[in-house]
Amino acid sequence: MADQMIQRVEIDGGVAVGFDSSASSARALVAAAEEARRRNTVLHVVRAWSLRTAPRPADCPPNVMPSMDAFQQAVQEDTERIVSAKLGDRGDLQVQFHIVHSPSPQALLSASKGADLLVVGHRGRGGFAGLMLGSVAEQCVRHAACPVLVVRPNV
């Protein structure tokens, strides 16, 4: 599986959404799915990960360091499980997963080169809770190669 380790997202059309399992990215996921349905196009779920952010593989003993392949698989499974729970029946929606071992901004900006729309939450897991816009969202707004929709919470 080492040859399947993805470090760059390459897509051709559709709606791309940044997902990191945070509440903000879950709202972005739902908005992106609605947008993909409206446009009758594919939804690309982009999840960037590092050793610091990846869920630990469930079948790995506590005192053992999992392989990069095991982490990749754990992130893939975690993402698919959460997306299924958030979107429910996706019979009318084609979803493609892009699990990328890369910093989030690079993965999303790479996806934006082929996307018709990039959807991101206003802020993800890191940073300061009081910020109006997280650093990843800000980089996407400034540097994306396609239009960007920043999803804010319903307050």
Side-chain angles (χ1 to χ4, degrees):
M1 187 188 232
D3 60 338
Q4 294 180 359
M5 185 77 61
I6 300 170
Q7 295 182 313
R8 173 174 299 149
V9 179
E10 294 181 15
I11 62 177
D12 185 20
V15 175
V17 60
F19 184 76
D20 66 3
S21 78
S22 67
S24 181
S25 72
R27 286 188 297 273
L29 174 68
V30 171
E34 291 171 6
E35 211 39 60
R37 281 187 179 103
R38 275 190 212 111
R39 295 167 183 244
N40 193 30
T41 192
V42 64
L43 173 65
H44 297 275
V45 178
V46 179
R47 184 165 180 186
W49 68 275
S50 68
L51 290 178
R52 186 180 62 79
T53 63
R56 184 169 178 78
D59 61 349
C60 186
N63 295 331
V64 175
M65 178 65 173
S67 69
M68 294 297 281
D69 292 339
F71 275 118
Q72 175 85 13
Q73 186 63 35
V75 175
Q76 177 85 31
E77 291 169 359
D78 185 61
T79 304
E80 289 178 4
R81 178 184 54 76
I82 295 169
V83 168
S84 289
K86 292 292 179 190
L87 297 184
D89 177 31
R90 304 186 315 249
D92 63 333
L93 181 64
Q94 182 184 355
V95 179
Q96 292 182 7
F97 293 91
H98 305 272
I99 309 303
V100 190
H101 182 241
S102 165
S104 297
Q106 285 86 331
L108 295 172
L109 293 174
S110 175
S112 79
K113 292 177 183 173
D116 299 318
L117 176 69
L118 175 62
V119 182
V120 294
H122 77 292
R123 50 179 319 280
R125 296 190 155 286
F128 301 97
L131 290 177
M132 293 294 287
L133 192 65
S135 62
V136 173
E138 181 177 359
Q139 287 185 52
C140 289
V141 167
R142 291 179 183 266
H143 303 292
C146 68
V148 179
L149 171 62
V150 178
V151 178
R152 303 261 312 140
N154 297 333
V155 184

